[in-house]
Amino acid sequence: MTIKIIRKIKFGNGFGVIAEFTGDTGYPTGGYSITPSQLGLHTIENVLAQSPASSRLWEYDLANNKLKILEVKSGALKEVAAGDQSGAVTRIVAFGW
């Protein structure tokens, strides 16, 4: 996965980071691990992921610090299979300090 920082914004005692994530050929079950330092932060308090107009949605797992890719299959929302997700792209807004 590649991460491109678009902008960092100061909010009082914290920061907001806008970043673009691009999947790769090695998407792991459970999602991509994200560290605060990858976003230029000390901690991650919350992440809001943009879900493009497609059958894929992105979700941040705060408890495990992972960004998951989900898709609608048979009327249910499920995580995509491990493997090639190189076509998957999203922008996120992360909040932390």
Side-chain angles (χ1 to χ4, degrees), residues 30 59-68:
E59 173 185 75
Y60 182 68
D61 178 355
L62 185 61
N64 297 301
N65 294 325
K66 294 189 176 196
L67 190 60
K68 295 180 181 181

Side-chain angles (χ1 to χ4, degrees), residues 12-52:
N13 292 330
F15 292 94
V17 176
I18 300 169
E20 184 174 87
F21 286 79
T22 303
D24 59 18
T25 58
Y27 178 80
T29 300
Y32 291 114
S33 292
I34 300 173
T35 64
S37 63
Q38 288 175 296
L39 300 174
L41 299 169
H42 295 288
T43 63
I44 297 173
E45 299 295 329
N46 201 356
V47 172
L48 304 173
Q50 173 192 26
S51 293

Side-chain angles (χ1 to χ4, degrees), residues 53-82:
S54 71
S55 62
R56 291 186 177 170
L57 303 171
W58 293 72
E59 173 185 75
Y60 182 68
D61 178 355
L62 185 61
N64 297 301
N65 294 325
K66 294 189 176 196
L67 190 60
K68 295 180 181 181
I69 303 172
L70 309 171
E71 63 185 342
V72 178
K73 281 194 171 181
S74 302
L77 195 57
K78 298 181 181 187
E79 184 177 7
V80 297

